[in-house]
Amino acid sequence: MTHSSLPIPTPRLRPALQGALAILPLCLAVLPWGILAGSMALQSGLTAAQGLGMSAIVFAGASQLVAMGMIKGGAGLLAILLSTFFVTAQHFLYALRLRAGIAPLPLRWRLLLGFLLTDELFALTGDHSAARFDRWYALGAGLTFYVCWLLTTWLGIAAAGSIGNLDAYGLDFSIAATFIAIVVPLVRSLPVLACALTALLLSVVLHHYQIPGALIIASVAAMLVGLLCSREAS
């Protein structure tokens, strides 16, 4: 009697599955964040299709929430563009860190991984050297997170239509919790610590005093402090 054996994952499928499994905890952590993004889309005047389309095309939770909040508040286009630019400015640093592993890849891979690059994906692959970087691992993790983001956005849109006053459930705290979980393990040097503390303190103080452009001021100041500290250390 012969027994059929289970199929062995291919060299491409195995790292993709490993990446998908590795990012699942971050998918769970971002669940309330995606629900908040979906509900805010309707609250800011977008239709369900527009809200889901925004998540599908932009795929940047922090900038989406900032943009929708500003749309709801009646902000101008230039202010929205500047704010979202600074919110996502860290992606330039992510790209520089991953450049050695991604630059040799074909254009289609560079475009795909560039689109899928998020804080969560960088948390998994940011410490990978060029020799260790696996495109299929990154693809599996990135696509899994992308699908999760779309599903949670859809849940938020559906919930906003049936549950009133979602803001009262404190879903927005998931934003802070997710970034804390991502940033804290990366604080391994004085420049990074100085950058994080500057952003934390300035954002709290400026928000308390309702200073216009608080997010932009805190972001730029934190980057400058980190740069100065890194020069002093070198």
Side-chain angles (χ1 to χ4, degrees):
M1 177 184 248
T2 61
H3 297 276
S4 59
S5 59
L6 294 174
I8 300 175
T10 65
R12 296 178 178 180
L13 181 59
R14 182 176 298 159
L17 290 175
Q18 290 173 343
L21 290 174
I23 208 167
L24 281 181
L26 291 174
C27 289
L28 294 176
V30 85
L31 176 61
W33 194 350
I35 293 175
L36 181 63
S39 63
M40 280 190 66
L42 298 188
Q43 294 173 13
S44 60
L46 301 180
T47 65
Q50 289 170 340
L52 192 60
M54 188 178 190
S55 284
I57 297 172
V58 178
F59 187 39
S63 63
Q64 286 180 227
L65 293 175
V66 169
M68 287 185 290
M70 296 181 73
I71 291 172
K72 186 178 178 181
L77 178 61
L78 181 59
I80 294 174
L81 291 176
L82 283 175
S83 297
T84 53
F85 172 80
F86 280 103
V87 167
T88 57
Q90 76 274 14
H91 286 76
F92 292 108
L93 302 178
Y94 295 166
L96 287 174
R97 179 66 180 84
L98 297 172
R99 184 177 183 275
I102 295 180
L105 300 178
L107 177 61
R108 64 181 184 275
W109 273 97
R110 299 200 303 270
L111 292 175
L112 180 58
L113 294 179
F115 173 74
L116 294 175
L117 180 58
T118 58
D119 301 294
E120 290 77 10
L121 181 58
F122 182 77
L124 292 183
T125 60
D127 61 344
H128 291 187
S129 63
R132 184 186 169 196
F133 183 83
D134 190 316
R135 70 179 84 175
W136 293 100
Y137 178 91
L139 179 64
L143 283 178
T144 301
F145 194 79
Y146 180 67
V147 172
C148 174
W149 182 246
L150 292 182
L151 290 176
T152 54
T153 301
W154 176 80
L155 286 175
I157 292 172
S162 57
I163 303 175
N165 195 22
L166 274 178
D167 294 340
Y169 291 88
L171 297 177
D172 52 344
F173 178 73
S174 65
I175 302 173
T178 301
F179 274 109
I180 289 172
I182 292 173
V183 171
V184 169
L186 299 177
V187 180
R188 302 171 182 170
S189 63
L190 180 59
V192 177
L193 177 61
C195 182
L197 289 178
T198 302
L200 172 63
L201 294 175
L202 274 182
S203 60
V204 171
V205 172
L206 295 177
H207 178 73
H208 176 74
Y209 289 102
Q210 299 182 347
I211 304 297
L215 182 62
I216 297 175
I217 296 172
S219 301
V220 173
M223 287 187 285
L224 289 175
V225 169
L227 178 62
L228 291 175
C229 289
S230 63
R231 287 183 174 179
E232 290 294 331
S234 60

